[in-house]
Amino acid sequence: MTVITIGEVVVDWLSTEPGESMRTASRFYRALGGNATNTAIGLSRLGDKVRLIGKIGDDLHGHFLLDKLKGEGVDLTYLRVDGSFPTAQCYMTTDERGEHQFFNWPKPHAADMLRPEEVPAEAFEGVRFLHATGISLLKDPRKSAVQKALSLCRQMGAIISFDASFPSGSGEQARAELESVFSSVHILKFNLPELLFWAGGTPGDEVELLARRLLRRFSPAAVVVTLSAEGSIILTENSMVTCPPVAVASVCEVGAGDAYVAGLLHYLLRILEPDHSIAYLSRLSPQQWQSAGMAGNVAGAMVTRAVSAYETFPLQSEFDEVMGKTSITSPS
């Protein structure tokens, strides 16, 4: 497998009534969801070999996810089905300001119950990239399972991409444990609220200064910050590049960050040879990082064209066409 994603595999229930709350919303759209699911589908549609590691329940929601995933070309060898716990579900509403609220149910759910013994070393043979997220490190046994995956990939020399997604009310111990992970990954991604949280910033602070603070503290090869309609920036030890936004008729941005990661990793897979070590990331030029960021922007923008990201994850031909209209072209 070229890329492995591990963590959240859930059913999303997306409210189609802007302005309604969890108490008042009555119309929802059911879709595949979860950080690991979204990134895996995004990569697979771009033609990359990707394996999804996670857990679902043996129930109607799990069967819904499994049926959809089987049509996406994602390797599901290590997607576990457990009849002891229900499939994870995430409800989303949007308030009058356009901000989203999320409610995860039930507790516990199958996604949280992935065990370390269900993540064997052979699952990672030949892996070049691992992608994981902070939300998957909040509760055992999945926390221990993801930590095992991170350790195995570090031993194997794989590049680790990590999304800092994290509920701010989860406590100091959880925060400290996650910061220790930040110090051991190679590509560290934040959106703007996460950047403010982890860097101790306030709205209006200069994004580059906050990102550089985290770069100095955790020393990844790159800090990536997605800025929604304003594009993204990527900082390395030697450079900072700005990646302008891609204009689309946006409907809903849920899942755009996961699609961004898929586009970014897809581009890096094209320019990094299989025998390139992690150290090679530090030798990428600013132009190469900007190209990778633009690939992320293209994929992230394209999934906002429908209520669910799943509907509009681009195929490679669509992706290459939009990349060709930017100032940066996709590598052959």
Side-chain angles (χ1 to χ4, degrees):
M1 278 300 117
T2 302
V3 184
I4 291 176
T5 68
I6 185 170
E8 297 286 308
V9 186
V10 311
V11 174
D12 276 346
W13 295 92
L14 308 173
S15 173
T16 57
E17 302 170 291
E20 298 294 337
S21 68
M22 289 291 178
R23 287 174 175 252
T24 61
S26 60
R27 293 193 295 273
F28 291 84
Y29 184 89
R30 183 173 69 160
L32 278 76
N35 308 92
T37 312
N38 287 339
T39 304
I41 292 173
L43 283 160
S44 184
R45 290 197 187 176
L46 292 175
D48 299 308
K49 294 180 179 180
V50 57
R51 170 172 289 158
L52 173 63
I53 298 179
K55 181 174 280 192
I56 57 177
D58 188 11
D59 51 31
L60 65 92
H61 300 300
H63 299 162
F64 166 77
L65 292 174
L66 198 55
D67 289 345
K68 294 290 187 182
L69 283 165
K70 285 179 178 177
E72 290 295 334
V74 175
D75 185 292
L76 305 177
T77 304
Y78 298 94
L79 177 63
R80 309 297 185 174
V81 179
D82 188 342
S84 301
F85 298 94
T87 300
Q89 300 173 62
C90 180
Y91 293 81
M92 184 216 73
T93 58
T94 307
D95 65 19
E96 294 84 355
R97 296 171 298 175
E99 297 181 359
H100 302 304
Q101 290 77 45
F102 299 92
F103 176 72
N104 294 292
W105 185 88
K107 299 178 181 180
H109 52 62
D112 280 338
M113 294 297 117
L114 182 69
R115 302 190 305 272
E117 58 267 28
E118 295 173 314
V119 185
E122 58 264 26
F124 300 89
E125 291 177 1
V127 63
R128 296 180 62 195
F129 285 84
L130 173 73
H131 179 67
T133 62
I135 198 169
S136 295
L137 286 163
L138 295 181
K139 182 184 296 185
D140 270 325
R142 183 175 62 185
K143 177 175 75 172
S144 296
V146 174
Q147 288 173 333
K148 179 181 178 181
L150 293 167
S151 177
L152 285 168
C153 285
R154 284 193 291 269
Q155 293 171 29
M156 295 176 180
I159 294 170
I160 299 173
S161 161
F162 197 83
D163 191 320
S165 175
F166 178 78
S168 58
S170 295
E172 288 302 314
Q173 181 178 350
R175 178 172 177 167
E177 289 178 350
L178 199 54
E179 287 177 334
S180 70
V181 173
F182 288 177
S183 297
S184 64
V185 304
H186 310 108
I187 300 171
L188 188 52
K189 175 197 167 291
F190 303 87
N191 62 25
L192 183 56
E194 292 159 357
L195 178 70
L196 296 176
F197 175 79
W198 289 107
T202 58
D205 287 349
E206 188 174 343
V207 170
E208 181 183 349
L209 292 179
L210 295 177
R212 196 164 295 284
R213 184 182 302 171
L214 296 176
L215 183 71
R216 288 195 301 266
R217 182 176 180 187
F218 299 114
S219 301
V223 168
V224 177
V225 184
T226 55
L227 300 168
S228 190
E230 296 182 18
S232 62
I233 67 169
I234 299 178
L235 276 84
T236 68
E237 183 179 358
N238 301 314
S239 66
M240 193 282 285
V241 296
T242 300
C243 310
V246 176
V248 297
S250 182
V251 174
C252 180
E253 71 273 19
V254 172
D258 304 326
Y260 179 97
V261 171
L264 179 89
L265 297 186
H266 171 72
Y267 195 94
L268 291 176
L269 282 165
R270 296 301 179 271
I271 62 175
L272 295 174
E273 297 296 332
D275 60 347
H276 281 163
S277 66
I278 290 166
Y280 195 88
L281 279 178
S282 302
R283 299 198 291 271
L284 294 181
S285 69
Q287 292 76 19
Q288 288 172 315
W289 278 116
Q290 187 180 48
S291 298
M294 284 304 301
N297 286 355
V298 167
M302 293 181 77
V303 302
T304 70
R305 298 171 295 167
V307 173
S308 164
Y310 172 74
E311 297 177 60
T312 48
F313 277 113
L315 297 172
Q316 187 171 2
S317 58
E318 300 172 293
F319 173 85
D320 288 345
E321 180 180 356
V322 178
M323 279 291 287
K325 295 177 182 177
T326 71
S327 59
I328 301 166
T329 58
S330 178
S332 57

